[in-house]
Amino acid sequence: MSGKLVVRMAELEIEPSMLESYRTLLVEEIEASVAREEGVLSLNAVCLKDNPSSIRILEVYANREAYEAHLKTPHFLKYKNETSGMVTSLTLIDVDPIMMRGKS
């Protein structure tokens, strides 16, 4: 795939009473996206140690087209629909990578 990487940081606040259900749906969505979408290069989710309801997701897409395609997939739409009442706050931040490396 060609084009400039799209890298985003998502900052989410989850209703604490729904956290386990949210996490289950998030894991399902991340696994499906990485497995089925060539343009989804990585999705990494973490929570703040002192506040597990504060979730951060680093999203890396091959290009803008891959990102736009991701938003239309059945697994992403399922995640968005089923978690809509669980997410109390969502901030999407476009970021520029400085250095990103990982091991399999």
Side-chain angles (χ1 to χ4, degrees):
M1 296 192 137
S2 62
K4 184 178 179 190
L5 288 179
V6 172
V7 184
R8 301 188 94 185
M9 176 70 67
E11 297 180 340
L12 300 98
E13 296 297 326
I14 309 304
E15 171 58 44
S17 65
M18 299 178 170
L19 183 57
E20 287 310 310
S21 295
Y22 173 81
R23 289 175 73 145
T24 298
L25 290 164
L26 177 63
V27 166
E28 180 182 295
E29 199 284 322
I30 288 175
E31 287 179 343
S33 296
V34 173
R36 298 177 190 163
E37 297 178 65
E38 183 180 336
V40 175
L41 302 183
S42 68
L43 295 171
N44 297 285
V46 298
C47 67
L48 301 186
K49 192 171 284 234
D50 294 335
N51 185 3
S53 295
S54 291
I55 307 286
R56 303 297 182 261
I57 305 170
L58 180 63
E59 309 172 20
V60 183
Y61 304 93
N63 52 38
R64 177 63 55 189
E65 293 77 19
Y67 172 70
E68 296 294 335
H70 169 71
L71 298 179
K72 298 174 185 171
T73 60
H75 49 271
F76 180 76
L77 294 173
K78 176 187 177 202
Y79 161 80
K80 286 299 282 186
N81 290 330
E82 293 188 19
T83 62
S84 64
M86 302 175 184
V87 177
T88 60
S89 173
L90 169 63
T91 304
L92 298 174
I93 305 165
D94 289 317
V95 297
D96 285 326
I98 295 171
M99 174 58 77
M100 297 181 355
R101 289 286 180 260
K103 291 185 179 185
S104 301

